[in-house]
Amino acid sequence: MHLRPEVLFFVAGFPITNTVVATIITDVIIIMIVVILSKVIAIAPGNIQNVIETVVDYFNKTAEEIAGERAVFIYPWITSFFIFILISNLVAQFPGFETIKFRPTFNDGNEVSFFRAATSDLNVTLALSVISIIVTNYLGIRYKGIKAYARRFLSFKIFPVFLFVGILEFTNEFTKIISFSFRLFGNILAGEKVLMTMYKLLPIGFPLPFMMLELMVAIVQAVVFSMLTMVFMHIMTDKSH
Amino acid sequence: MEFMHKFGLQPSLFLFQIINFLIMMFILKKFLFSPLKKIFNERKYKIEQSLQDIENAKIILENANKKKYDILQEAKDNSEILTATAKASIKAMKEQSIFDAKNCYEQIIDDAKQKAEAEFENMNKQLGKISVDISEKIISKVLSNLFTDDEKQILTSRALEKMHEKITN
């Protein structure tokens, strides 16, 4: 298992990697959830609606508690991050992930895994982090105005203290991207590696506790990513900061 | 570049993931969060409406209780007045009955007395008549031996006259 995703084949020159396959599975599951919910949605919720309502309502209320009226714009983003990352992480626990092998025609006959957790691909985690930071900064401009937003990074008050602080803040935005993407990437990749090692050691029963641990990691990482995004969005949009 | 290669970073894959997430975000927002938000609001509205209905029902119940209390109080007052009136009229009727009974009883006694007196008088008269007859027979029997028929006639008639006078007096 490599750090980079393995390319399975190409479609019109676009590389279809095993993480792209996992991403598509994640998308299909999300769309299925949406379709099923749109059919069963009612004032008195059923089982599926209850679960989804709990998640959406939790993030909605948490965003409202933290960001007040700005929660209207914040909660769809953080809930989407949570749902996407959670499903991506959970999908990786499906049987066949990392175990079903594929032999690409162009890869000198070397076998590669057909499925691999989407979030164990830095392209995915980096994309999510970049979206998170760009949206956070966009919301900052929208709520505070361009001048107040720019003052965060470029200020000549108590020269050169705030200028230095501005440089730190600017660097911090990039650090956030790195920390966001590598945290998620590292946790899921490490989890997969641990599971693969356990499978190789003793395939029956032995990996079970680690699978449980991975389930927890999957949930925790999704929560961490969305909560941090929410906090950053709140800080960026709050006029007192 | 080496870093990008090591981690498999590819601009096409990176862009694909960004677009993919944005599409998913759009789908979720449009078809999941919006309907759910609508449901939340509808539910909230219904709950508020129900709470309002409960409040209204409470007020109606309180009013009804107050009205009930008023009606009961009024009924109680009326019943007390009726009881007092009934008691007064019963007392009046009782007194009237006693008075009537007393009158009636006195009347009966007076009538009885009068009847008794009349009877007594009548008896006295009959007794006098009987005694006159007896005396007449005794006298006529006694005198028949001493006097003549004419003398007897005169004496008898005189005696009878005297007795008559005594009785009538």
Side-chain angles (χ1 to χ4, degrees), chain A:
Chain A
M1 191 181 182
H2 303 286
L3 287 176
R4 63 175 179 275
E6 288 96 3
V7 179
L8 302 173
F9 48 86
F10 290 88
V11 175
F14 180 79
I16 303 295
T17 62
N18 42 15
T19 53
V20 169
V21 175
T23 307
I24 291 166
I25 293 171
T26 305
D27 294 349
V28 171
I29 291 172
I30 289 174
I31 291 167
M32 272 169 60
I33 289 171
V34 170
V35 170
I36 290 168
L37 192 85
S38 63
K39 281 185 181 170
V40 298
I41 198 162
I43 287 190
N47 292 338
I48 301 168
Q49 194 182 331
N50 243 334
V51 174
I52 296 163
E53 266 189 20
T54 308
V55 173
V56 175
D57 197 41
Y58 170 74
F59 281 102
N60 189 16
K61 280 187 177 154
T62 313
E64 271 176 4
E65 276 171 22
I66 291 173
E69 58 182 23
R70 287 163 289 143
V72 180
F73 293 98
I74 293 173
Y75 104 90
W77 287 101
I78 58 166
T79 317
S80 299
F81 279 128
F82 176 78
I83 291 172
F84 186 81
I85 295 169
L86 181 73
I87 292 172
S88 296
N89 293 347
L90 292 179
V91 159
Q93 306 299 315
F94 282 3
F97 264 70
E98 293 288 348
T99 50
I100 294 175
K101 298 293 181 186
F102 182 76
R103 202 186 294 273
T105 50
F106 55 86
N107 199 12
D108 298 332
N110 289 334
E111 277 188 341
V112 293
S113 302
F114 191 74
F115 301 110
R116 178 174 157 177
T119 40
S120 69
D121 179 358
L122 194 62
N123 286 297
V124 179
T125 57
L126 194 65
L128 294 173
S129 313
V130 168
I131 292 169
S132 165
I133 299 305
I134 288 175
V135 172
T136 303
N137 283 279
Y138 163 74
L139 288 176
I141 296 168
R142 185 177 167 162
Y143 276 99
K144 285 159 85 170
I146 188 82
K147 275 186 184 173
Y149 171 77
R151 263 203 297 276
R152 186 183 179 88
F153 303 110
L154 192 68
S155 174
F156 295 103
K157 274 184 196 171
I158 325 172
F159 187 79
V161 176
F162 274 87
L163 188 69
F164 183 67
V165 171
I167 293 165
L168 280 180
E169 284 284 343
F170 188 72
T171 318
N172 189 30
E173 293 306 304
F174 292 98
T175 321
K176 277 180 197 168
I177 294 176
I178 295 166
S179 73
F180 259 149
S181 52
F182 275 94
R183 184 188 300 110
L184 184 57
F185 167 72
N187 271 290
I188 302 304
L189 186 76
E192 288 212 325
K193 285 215 173 219
V194 167
L195 276 183
M196 279 311 295
T197 312
M198 295 307 144
Y199 273 121
K200 279 175 187 167
L201 282 174
L202 190 66
I204 301 166
F206 193 53
L208 204 65
F210 295 94
M211 283 179 80
M212 294 296 158
L213 189 72
E214 277 314 299
L215 282 176
M216 252 173 66
V217 171
I219 296 166
V220 167
Q221 286 308 313
V223 172
V224 165
F225 195 99
S226 15
M227 285 299 172
L228 281 175
T229 302
M230 180 169 64
V231 170
F232 292 146
M233 282 179 175
H234 164 64
I235 291 170
M236 192 61 95
T237 53
D238 194 9
K239 285 178 181 168
S240 60
H241 280 88

